[in-house]
Amino acid sequence: QVRLVESGGGLVQPGGSLRLSCAASGIIFTAYHMGWYRQAPGKQRELVARISSGGSTNYADFVKGRFTISKDNDKNTVYLQMNSLKPEDTAVYYCKAARVNDFWGQGTQVTVSS
């Protein structure tokens, strides 16, 4: 059974930081491309950042220079370090594992507010 479990969300003030984690099980982690997506109320889910099985990364323009995606193959975990958070970053953040099939986590809420 494939499981992706996100953690690390919460309430943070503008300009603050959070680190999200996504622990994967039931997949060969090193074979999958991993990504972080987000969905704000009333909006479509959108790509935030992704990291390939080989470690290449790419980012949405709206997070470049502020967010960093990384992974630890030994821990089967992908991370999203989020710095300089803005109120518009408020959303539910989802982890995705992609290969032939896609698998999603349940999401973690990030709220940026003073």
Side-chain angles (χ1 to χ4, degrees):
Q1 181 183 1
V2 178
R3 290 191 70 202
L4 299 176
V5 181
E6 300 100 332
S7 61
L11 173 64
V12 64
Q13 292 187 341
S17 298
L18 284 174
R19 188 175 83 152
L20 306 183
S21 300
C22 172
S25 59
I27 60 171
I28 301 174
F29 184 75
T30 53
Y32 279 75
H33 309 302
M34 303 299 296
W36 286 98
Y37 291 72
R38 71 185 188 187
Q39 188 167 18
K43 295 188 177 181
Q44 290 191 336
R45 193 171 297 188
E46 60 185 357
L47 172 69
V48 175
R50 55 189 170 200
I51 184 166
S52 73
S53 58
S56 299
T57 60
N58 65 298
Y59 297 89
D61 286 344
F62 53 78
V63 302
K64 283 182 179 177
R66 299 190 298 126
F67 292 9
T68 302
I69 189 170
S70 62
K71 63 175 181 169
D72 185 331
N73 288 334
D74 291 333
K75 295 182 178 179
N76 287 2
T77 300
V78 61
Y79 303 98
L80 185 68
Q81 178 67 44
M82 305 187 295
N83 298 328
S84 302
L85 282 160
K86 305 175 182 180
E88 51 263 44
D89 294 318
T90 295
V92 179
Y93 283 71
Y94 297 91
C95 173
K96 186 176 90 168
R99 197 182 175 202
V100 175
N101 297 317
D102 293 347
F103 301 99
W104 291 89
Q106 82 289 348
T108 185
Q109 176 70 46
V110 172
T111 303
V112 185
S113 175
S114 55

